Amino acid sequence: MARKKAQENSSVLDRILTLEIVRVTERAAVAAARLRGHGNEKAADQVAVDAMRRELNRLPIDGTVVIGEGERDEAPMLYIGERVGTKEGPKVDIALDPLEGTTICAKNLPNSLAVIAMAEHGSLLNAPDVYMDKIAIGPGFPEGIVDLDATVADNIRAVAAAKDVPVSSVTACVLDRPRHAKIIEEIRELGAAIRLIGDGDVAGIIHTTDPDETGIDIYLGIGGAPEGVLAAAALRCIGGQMQGRLVINTKEQRDRAISMGVTDPDKKFTMEEMAKGDVIFAATGVTDGNMLSGVRFSKTLISTETVVMRSSTGTVRWIKADHRDFDKFAFDD
Ligand code: VTB
């Protein structure tokens, strides 16, 4: 039954798209990487947006951006509601962040990514640009051992117990923000370790899926809601558990969420509720990271590293590409 369902879904998100989508994040990553370490977040983001949009519009899809660069009036490109693709092909919803971690890229620090997720129309949570409280762990744990409403200590103890290690061997990834002072204190008191990151919680959450490689066992704390949906899409494919709850502080934010179709803005969303059905996710490294190398430029080659995954099959592909068609990567192609 599950297999039949997966096959039906295959016809919507054609398998070919799984490879086609790689070009989209590759192009965005290369564009942004040219401005790595130049201290100009806006410029790096803009070139990534331009490149991603150009490449997306070549895909045989009838796509709608549901998580993008913002509202139409504030984001001239890849705004929420923008139609992308050749319009001949499956009707899909798209969540994207052409440069996740603009500040990381501007400072040339680890783990900035070009990211995209694609799902059948109606399958991605249309999260407004507010904060989201998030918790995530990788695959291989019994279902439900962590919970957004449990204490930080209980969640970390649960991970330690499931791994059969002392809590001191558990590392939590947390965004380095004053709002996380209490979480950080609780983790310290417990005696677990913290990986404090400046930005880039999409990468932080994906890193929980390979603790041996990344050293991160659990992600905790408040980051952007759009980034939360992107991370949920990735975990749907690669495996793991995640929950998220929008942080709504004003009536305006509540109204905004409801107008975007979030019927219960206070709900604790499961990973499946944030990204359901068949999902494709791709990320290309812009700067070097724990799982993906950043873009390399040499005299004759541009090299990229991308991870692309699909939920219905669970296939995760790591694609190292050497590009020789320099012209295609020019700013104005
Ligand atoms: C995170 C992080 C992003 O925003 O979601 C964060 O992953 C949350 O917002 O890279 P604040 O910076 O306001 O804390 C980013 O840092 C930037 O989008």
Side-chain angles (χ1 to χ4, degrees), residues 41-285:
E41 282 97 342
K42 269 214 156 104
D45 194 40
Q46 189 60 56
V47 293
V49 170
D50 294 350
M52 182 171 272
R53 184 169 184 261
R54 261 198 310 274
E55 208 52 43
L56 253 182
N57 280 329
R58 294 183 176 130
L59 283 188
I61 53 167
D62 179 0
T64 305
V65 175
V66 296
I67 291 205
E69 290 292 293
E71 296 298 302
R72 186 182 196 146
D73 52 357
E74 71 199 25
M77 300 233 255
L78 296 179
Y79 56 85
I80 297 166
E82 182 172 339
R83 300 274 302 278
V84 290
T86 61
K87 321 280 188 306
E88 288 152 14
K91 212 168 153 53
V92 293
D93 285 353
I94 293 167
L96 50 83
D97 197 345
L99 182 55
E100 152 62 346
T102 49
T103 309
I104 308 179
C105 176
K107 293 183 176 171
N108 206 351
L109 291 169
N111 293 314
S112 64
L113 304 170
V115 188
I116 195 165
M118 197 180 277
E120 287 169 70
H121 178 58
S123 300
L124 298 173
L125 179 71
N126 293 2
D129 194 7
V130 295
Y131 285 119
M132 179 186 272
D133 197 4
K134 312 171 194 180
I135 185 165
I137 53 174
F141 291 104
E143 197 56 39
I145 62 158
V146 296
D147 196 294
L148 208 49
D149 291 327
T151 64
V152 167
D154 282 350
N155 283 322
I156 292 181
R157 277 196 207 102
V159 171
K163 288 186 76 165
D164 198 18
V165 296
V167 283
S168 58
S169 300
V170 172
T171 300
C173 179
V174 179
L175 271 170
D176 192 2
R177 297 289 187 277
R179 63 176 177 267
H180 291 147
K182 193 162 168 286
I183 295 183
I184 292 168
E185 197 188 308
E186 282 174 57
I187 301 172
R188 297 255 188 261
E189 256 168 31
L190 191 67
I194 305 176
R195 173 86 52 87
L196 271 181
I197 56 170
D199 288 285
D201 67 351
V202 175
I205 289 175
I206 296 175
H207 288 163
T208 65
T209 65
D210 192 357
D212 292 341
E213 185 67 30
T214 64
I216 291 170
D217 300 293
I218 180 167
Y219 177 88
L220 291 167
I222 295 173
E227 288 89 347
V229 175
L230 279 161
L235 253 57
R236 273 290 319 288
C237 301
I238 200 167
Q241 302 177 42
M242 181 178 169
Q243 294 172 338
R245 184 183 278 124
L246 300 178
V247 179
I248 305 274
N249 294 318
T250 63
K251 180 171 180 316
E252 197 190 352
Q253 289 174 338
R254 181 172 301 278
D255 293 346
R256 172 89 189 113
I258 292 169
S259 76
M260 287 177 76
V262 183
T263 42
D264 180 4
D266 303 315
K267 192 179 158 68
K268 178 170 63 178
F269 292 100
T270 63
M271 188 170 80
E272 288 78 11
E273 286 165 335
M274 290 189 266
K276 53 176 185 271
D278 194 8
V279 179
I280 297 173
F281 174 93
T284 302

